[in-house]
Amino acid sequence: MADSSPPSKRSRKNQDEDANDTSPLSPVIVFAHGAGAPSSSDWMIRWKNMLENVLQAVEVVTFDYPYIAGGKKRAPPKAEKLVEFHKDVVKKAVAKHPGHLLVLAGKSMDSRVSCMVAAEVDIVPSAVICLGYPLKGTNGAVRDETLLQLEVPVLFIQGSKDGLCPLEKLEIVRKNMKPLNELHVIDGGDHSFKIAKKHLQTNGLSQDEAEDLAVKAAASFVSRCLKGK
């Protein structure tokens, strides 16, 4: 039956429906910075905007851990010591957007923390996006314990020249992981996905185009995860 309400009332009704939209395809994303730079860095702002746009997120929440807040530059604590603070940020984001599914994302060290948070019993994300996962520790050992405990779908976006995550070692870990997991490789990218000019010229891609492909891979992965809920 057609809506017979006056135009002004129909408009207000539509606005109210939009405000209360609980579509799972508009996730809330909690995006953690890496150890080397805060949430206000150019890299984080660029990737926040890209993720927000392509995933049609209701919000991308970024934050600074206490060790880096206020522009202070101190060595980060062990990843495990950041979990409780990170969890508190996640819980506040979820409470702010009831009805929207949760996606966790992180850069480098804090993609690892995001995975630790995802493994907590009181956090229920639909997917995790790891941007430059630091699989290899400072002593050269493979840090796969957290990944092998996960039961949440994970997307790895990795540079092919990232010394902290040899792709052949990541492939072995991925085969032993329980949940759905996928890998998107940025050819020639380093730990922060930066590609050398010569490599870009050889491949005929710009830096922006290479990163755009990575973000589209994230959108495809997350969309499939959310639709499966």
Side-chain angles (χ1 to χ4, degrees), residues 22 38 55 69 73 95 113 135 149 156 166 177 182 199-200 212:
T22 58
L55 271 66
K73 288 201 172 183
V113 179
L135 184 64
Q149 293 172 0
F156 298 94
M177 290 176 64
E182 294 183 5
H199 194 96
L200 290 171
D212 185 58

Side-chain angles (χ1 to χ4, degrees), residues 9-30:
K9 289 187 177 180
R10 287 204 304 270
S11 176
R12 184 175 299 174
K13 179 181 177 182
N14 291 340
Q15 289 174 3
D16 290 342
E17 288 175 349
D18 290 343
N20 294 320
D21 176 28
T22 58
S23 168
L25 299 185
S26 298
V28 56
I29 304 172
V30 178

Side-chain angles (χ1 to χ4, degrees), residues 95-113:
K96 182 180 177 182
H97 299 287
H100 291 265
L101 296 178
L102 170 67
V103 174
L104 300 181
K107 165 78 168 73
S108 187
M109 170 186 176
D110 298 314
S111 67
R112 191 164 165 249
V113 179

